[in-house]
Amino acid sequence: MEDDAPIIYGLEFQARALTSQTAESDAIRFLVGTQSLKFDNQIHIIDFDDENNIISKSVLLHQAGEIWHISASPADKAVLSTCYNKTSESRVVMCGAVWRMPPEWESGSHETPDDPHNSHNPQNLELLCHLDNRAHGNASSVLWEPMGDGKRVISLADNHALLWDLTESSTQATISSSATLEGKGQLKFTSGKWSPHHNCTQLATANDTTIRGWDLRTMSQIYCIENAHGQLVRDLDFNPNKQYYLASCGDDCKVKFWDVRNINEPVKSLEEHSHWVWSVRYNHSHDQLLLTGSSDSRVILSNMVSISSEPFGHLVDDDDLSDGEDNHQDKKSKEPLQDSIISTFEEHEDSVYAVEWSSADPWLFASLSYDGRLVINRVPRALKYRILL
């Protein structure tokens, strides 16, 4: 099918930071942050016209340093955060900051990538505030409160999780509470995810091979999955429809699924990649669809239907499964659908550090490899109709 062909966009710099524009529900838009030692770093705003299969872009300057992590405000399209490195007193430090895009960027100033005149005069981002973590170490990621008003963020800095309150204009950030990872050695958070469930009061973090859950109201630990992976845990994501379910991936080439009420063993484990798995993402609408990206240069789309909210092809909750006696006979006789690998995407030639679903189109996703190649792909149409119909 021709219209399922991938769309490829090349950045001139290396890159590892990708996010969809969370607050944008109409246009398909992704933000990419670059990593260049020699030149000013950039944020590329990538718009995809689904009907005409055309990519257009805007480029903003991020002169503060190499971008290691980028995330977008859930409430304001123009606001984003980055974690970047800079040299301070002859040593490299990782910082976090909140930025605003200039007002002109959304007034139709997008260029198509082939236009020779584009990106000659890229505009600067406006710094709203630093998430000043110097006392706490190097910032590795900034997490926005899911579905929030864009006024609460968490930064992970070495072994500290810091909860920040932003002012109305986001020009000032104050730490409202914090949690510290304690134990032997130099413990560091590698990644984290703010749960969209439980009124956004829970956080999951990864450090080394361990996954921990935190209650943000008390900043205390609520669960701890030791040796969740055989090697470093790289990324986490919460199932958007099942409040206790969490996916993790790591350097043991595995993707694991956890029910945090029973942490002794994973609900399921996948081993489809042949190198470190850097990124895992649940589809926001159809939680059986799972994306993973790895430094084997591949992106894998899996259909994890047996542990989804639709194991029989229709939405069920845990109560439906537990009160089996009252269920209709035809429901009981229905077999759960089988898990499967839907597609393996091989358009990348370098490590895939990030995969993200579009916020505007549940059937479309982007992946980013270190050589600066962004690939936009779709869920195969046959599967889309099987899920919908």
Side-chain angles (χ1 to χ4, degrees):
M1 285 189 200
E2 190 54 41
D3 65 346
D4 282 347
I7 312 298
I8 299 175
Y9 170 76
L11 289 83
E12 56 194 297
F13 300 136
Q14 293 169 324
R16 67 166 71 221
L18 168 70
T19 184
S20 67
Q21 193 181 34
T22 321
E24 175 57 75
S25 56
D26 296 327
I28 297 166
R29 187 172 294 138
F30 295 96
L31 311 177
V32 183
T34 66
Q35 288 201 319
S36 169
L37 279 172
K38 293 181 182 173
F39 303 100
D40 282 342
N41 280 284
Q42 303 171 340
I43 288 175
H44 287 232
I45 305 165
I46 307 298
D47 273 59
F48 179 57
D49 176 348
D50 196 24
E51 289 184 8
N52 300 305
N53 265 18
I54 296 171
I55 279 182
S56 52
K57 67 158 185 180
S58 290
V59 178
L60 299 173
L61 286 180
H62 183 281
Q63 293 171 320
E66 292 182 285
I67 302 169
W68 288 79
H69 185 267
I70 186 170
S71 49
S73 163
D76 187 335
K77 295 179 198 177
V79 174
L80 61 111
S81 63
T82 61
C83 291
Y84 58 92
N85 60 3
K86 68 173 187 178
T87 308
S88 173
E89 295 165 5
S90 75
R91 65 191 189 96
V92 175
V93 292
M94 291 280 289
C95 307
V98 179
W99 309 85
R100 178 177 288 282
M101 301 175 189
E104 307 86 83
W105 75 273
E106 50 188 344
S107 60
S109 60
H110 278 44
E111 313 279 357
T112 54
D114 304 326
D115 186 339
H117 303 295
N118 65 1
S119 65
H120 281 338
N121 301 306
Q123 296 213 293
N124 278 302
L125 287 162
E126 175 196 348
L127 175 66
L128 291 178
C129 65
H130 285 291
L131 301 175
D132 192 355
N133 54 286
R134 281 173 298 189
H136 300 94
N138 289 311
S140 59
S141 57
V142 174
L143 317 169
W144 294 82
E145 181 178 24
M147 302 166 296
D149 58 2
K151 298 298 168 243
R152 295 213 305 164
V153 296
I154 290 171
S155 69
L156 300 179
D158 284 353
N159 62 332
H160 301 278
L162 310 169
L163 179 59
W164 302 80
D165 287 332
L166 301 179
T167 55
E168 193 59 41
S169 58
S170 299
T171 50
Q172 200 174 352
T174 50
I175 296 176
S176 61
S177 54
S178 64
T180 304
L181 202 53
E182 289 168 354
K184 293 178 183 170
Q186 283 191 307
L187 299 179
K188 278 186 184 179
F189 289 121
T190 48
S191 68
K193 202 77 180 184
W194 197 327
S195 171
H197 307 295
H198 315 289
N199 291 327
C200 299
T201 57
Q202 292 189 13
L203 169 74
T205 61
N207 70 286
D208 200 30
T209 60
T210 303
I211 297 169
R212 297 169 200 270
W214 306 83
D215 186 329
L216 297 173
R217 295 165 296 189
T218 58
M219 281 305 200
S220 55
Q221 193 172 293
I222 46 178
Y223 55 85
C224 178
I225 310 172
E226 293 187 359
N227 300 313
H229 285 260
Q231 296 178 49
L232 186 71
V233 181
R234 290 278 175 193
D235 199 18
L236 306 166
D237 200 20
F238 281 98
N239 185 316
N241 298 332
K242 296 186 79 172
Q243 59 182 339
Y244 299 108
Y245 276 64
L246 177 72
S248 63
C249 62
D251 285 2
D252 57 0
C253 311
K254 292 180 181 175
V255 179
K256 295 188 179 183
F257 301 86
W258 305 91
D259 180 339
V260 299
R261 297 167 298 184
N262 177 18
I263 57 174
N264 295 326
E265 56 183 317
V267 178
K268 205 163 186 82
S269 187
L270 292 178
E271 197 169 356
E272 299 295 333
H273 286 287
S274 57
H275 207 267
W276 306 344
V277 189
W278 283 84
S279 188
V280 59
R281 289 290 179 270
Y282 277 105
N283 186 287
H284 310 309
S285 306
H286 308 283
D287 58 278
Q288 67 262 49
L289 300 178
L290 189 95
L291 278 177
T292 51
S294 162
S295 35
D296 64 7
S297 306
R298 296 186 303 159
V299 174
I300 294 179
L301 175 62
S302 306
N303 190 15
M304 303 306 298
V305 67
S306 72
I307 52 173
S308 75
S309 57
E310 301 183 334
F312 299 96
H314 62 87
L315 197 67
V316 298
D317 57 30
D318 293 342
D319 297 338
D320 285 347
L321 296 175
S322 56
D323 62 358
E325 294 305 310
D326 306 330
N327 271 354
H328 296 303
Q329 196 64 34
D330 60 331
K331 266 192 191 177
K332 284 171 74 175
S333 61
K334 245 186 151 179
E335 285 294 308
L337 302 170
Q338 293 299 303
D339 296 340
S340 61
I341 301 303
I342 300 160
S343 297
T344 300
F345 300 92
E346 302 193 347
E347 290 85 25
H348 293 283
E349 296 172 9
D350 204 343
S351 296
V352 179
Y353 282 142
V355 290
E356 290 288 348
W357 292 97
S358 163
S359 303
D361 182 341
W363 309 106
L364 194 132
F365 57 91
S367 52
L368 177 68
S369 52
Y370 189 54
D371 55 6
R373 180 177 295 183
L374 179 81
V375 180
I376 294 177
N377 266 302
R378 297 177 180 87
V379 174
R381 202 189 300 186
L383 176 69
K384 171 180 169 179
Y385 291 140
R386 200 159 78 231
I387 290 172
L388 287 176
L389 300 176

